[in-house]
């Protein structure tokens, strides 16, 4: 399993028959990802073992504050992120991703690239995700963001903490409450 991919950045047809048998897309167009996942399920039932495409799990769009990461990135078409402004909007955004079949929720918490959610909106996303039975993955960048995301309820950190050096106490706290995932191949 590659636990951190963005399928809209590659030709996923090349994954058929590869050693990767499952992917978790952590930021893409939720409608397109639902179609890709359905097509992969259908192809898995119709192909031999050597040419099977990987199972596709996905978070749907990045949930980000207005003007937040990755809304200003050329590689992120508008459908790959969902701007969230309020606690009520947070609940609606999680519901949208769940309706599209998301198996996780991705929060952009990238202080080095722009605004991040208030604690209240971040918690509202976490609470809505928990109610939907979905884990929360945080793209946490900037000093203190990894710990902040974990303390606010994120259970996974995408890229692992990658923009700061953590001390032993911080590592122990994060290790007790979060999983860390990074991109392996895609």
């Amino acid at each position: 399993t590659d636990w951190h991919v963005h399928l809209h950045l590659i030709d996923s047809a090349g994954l058929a028959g590869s050693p990767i048998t499952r992917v978790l897309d952590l930021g893409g167009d939720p409608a397109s990802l639902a179609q890709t996942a359905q097509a992969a399920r259908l192809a898995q039932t119709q192909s031999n073992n050597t040419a099977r495409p990987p199972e596709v799990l996905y978070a749907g769009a990045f949930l980000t504050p207005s003007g937040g990461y990755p809304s200003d990135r050329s590689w992120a078409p508008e459908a790959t992120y969902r701007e969230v402004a309020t606690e009520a909007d947070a609940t609606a955004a999680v519901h949208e991703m769940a309706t599209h079949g998301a198996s996780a929720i991705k929060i952009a918490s990238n202080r080095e690239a722009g605004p991040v959610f208030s604690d209240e909106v971040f918690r509202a996303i976490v609470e809505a995700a928990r109610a939907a039975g979905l884990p929360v993955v945080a793209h946490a960048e900037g000093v203190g963001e990894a710990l902040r995301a974990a303390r606010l309820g994120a259970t996974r950190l995408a890229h692992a903490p990658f923009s700061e050096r953590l001390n032993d106490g911080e590592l122990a706290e994060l290790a007790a409450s979060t999983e860390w995932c990074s991109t392996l191949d895609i």
Side-chain angles (χ1 to χ4, degrees), residues 48-75:
N48 63 39
N49 278 342
T50 60
R52 286 182 180 219
E55 176 185 8
V56 175
L57 307 173
Y58 52 93
F62 284 81
L63 302 189
T64 190
S66 298
Y69 178 85
S71 66
D72 63 347
R73 306 298 179 181
S74 62
W75 56 262

Side-chain angles (χ1 to χ4, degrees), residues 2-152:
D2 193 337
W3 291 104
H4 187 172
V5 306
H6 297 285
L7 292 175
H8 73 279
L9 297 175
I10 65 164
D11 177 5
S12 60
L15 297 175
S18 81
I20 296 173
T21 60
R22 181 185 308 137
V23 297
L24 175 60
D25 187 292
L26 286 179
D29 174 352
S32 176
L33 287 167
Q35 292 173 349
T36 300
Q38 178 60 31
R41 283 190 292 275
L42 182 60
Q44 287 170 347
T45 63
Q46 297 176 345
S47 41
N48 63 39
N49 278 342
T50 60
R52 286 182 180 219
E55 176 185 8
V56 175
L57 307 173
Y58 52 93
F62 284 81
L63 302 189
T64 190
S66 298
Y69 178 85
S71 66
D72 63 347
R73 306 298 179 181
S74 62
W75 56 262
E78 192 171 328
T80 64
Y81 59 90
R82 164 69 157 80
E83 293 183 331
V84 175
T86 66
E87 293 171 52
D89 201 23
T91 302
V94 170
H95 178 74
E96 288 169 24
M97 297 312 119
T99 298
H100 282 291
S103 57
I105 298 297
K106 173 88 174 273
I107 294 178
S109 192
N110 190 331
R111 186 172 302 280
E112 292 186 4
V116 296
F117 289 118
S118 68
D119 289 358
E120 294 76 20
V121 173
F122 196 114
R123 280 191 195 105
I125 294 169
V126 169
E127 289 170 12
R130 283 186 181 150
L134 301 173
V136 173
V137 182
H139 175 112
E141 184 175 10
V143 174
E145 282 302 303
L147 277 171
R148 178 177 174 264
R151 289 173 178 164
L152 292 172

Side-chain angles (χ1 to χ4, degrees), residues 2-6 159 181-186:
D2 193 337
W3 291 104
H4 187 172
V5 306
H6 297 285
H159 301 292
C181 60
S182 191
T183 301
L184 296 177
D185 187 49
I186 304 166

